Amino acid sequence: MDDALRWLLDLVESVDPVLRTTLAGIAMLLETSVLVGLIVPGDTVVIVAATGVTSVLDGVILAIVVICGSLAGESIGFALGRWLGPHIRTSWVGRRIGERNWVRAERYVQRRGGIAIFLSRFLPVMHSLVPLTVGMSTYPYRRFILWTLPACVIWATLYVSISAGAAQSYRSLSDTAHWAAYIFVGAILLLVVGVFIAKKVIAHLERRHLDD
């Protein structure tokens, strides 16, 4: 496992840092603006990109780019909802998402307001639909950004710091400790499972606001 993991991390690290960081930012932008996140989760791209981080500065830059990409995606989603909302909802993609999900997103925003915008960042499906749904309403853009900004910061900081820290720990220990690979895998699994559980808990607590 050591050889395979070292090869994978070296491969990610060999990618130009600017390109790697840009791709992570674009992935986050697409996730929230054009529903790509319903198919290819942006968190996977960010985890992979973060394993190539080799310094604190690189990590900070990646986190900032991911936050900016998230905010840009949320803003585009909001704008698309404001300008093309009904057309998106009745389009082929909108129909594939399902009217039930659109209604749930609409109901959630109506009932929870800003809290729905903040928590939707951590809810499956809702993280892509809520910006569009808020854009379809009369909710002001400034308040929308103020609610989504802290959620994006928390999300990006969590993913980048844990993934980069795990990769750095492996690199520093791999030559002297045969169990270094297990630390890396364990840290990534802890992140993925922890986020999964947190999403399930939030979804459970918010279910009464989502369902009729």
Side-chain angles (χ1 to χ4, degrees), residues 22-109:
T22 301
L23 289 175
I26 291 174
M28 294 311 303
L29 183 151
L30 294 176
E31 182 184 58
T32 51
S33 61
V34 292
L35 308 175
V36 174
L38 295 175
I39 304 170
V40 181
D43 44 8
T44 303
V45 178
V46 173
I47 288 174
V48 172
T51 60
V53 168
T54 57
S55 69
V56 174
L57 180 60
D58 285 346
V60 171
I61 291 174
L62 177 61
I64 291 173
V65 170
V66 168
I67 292 168
C68 291
S70 300
L71 291 176
E74 300 266 3
S75 299
I76 292 173
F78 181 95
L80 289 173
R82 183 133 300 181
W83 298 335
L84 302 172
H87 300 290
I88 294 175
R89 189 165 176 168
T90 57
S91 68
W92 180 84
V93 174
R95 292 195 301 272
R96 292 288 294 177
I97 291 169
E99 182 62 18
R100 177 176 178 272
N101 284 322
W102 286 107
V103 171
R104 292 182 85 223
E106 194 173 60
R107 183 187 299 125
Y108 191 39
V109 171

Side-chain angles (χ1 to χ4, degrees), residues 82-141:
R82 183 133 300 181
W83 298 335
L84 302 172
H87 300 290
I88 294 175
R89 189 165 176 168
T90 57
S91 68
W92 180 84
V93 174
R95 292 195 301 272
R96 292 288 294 177
I97 291 169
E99 182 62 18
R100 177 176 178 272
N101 284 322
W102 286 107
V103 171
R104 292 182 85 223
E106 194 173 60
R107 183 187 299 125
Y108 191 39
V109 171
Q110 289 174 347
R111 290 178 175 178
R112 297 287 272 163
I115 297 295
I117 297 169
F118 176 85
L119 291 179
S120 66
R121 173 70 263 178
F122 311 99
L123 292 173
V125 181
M126 291 298 111
H127 73 271
S128 289
L129 290 185
V130 164
L132 290 163
T133 303
V134 175
M136 294 179 200
S137 70
T138 58
Y139 202 86
Y141 174 74

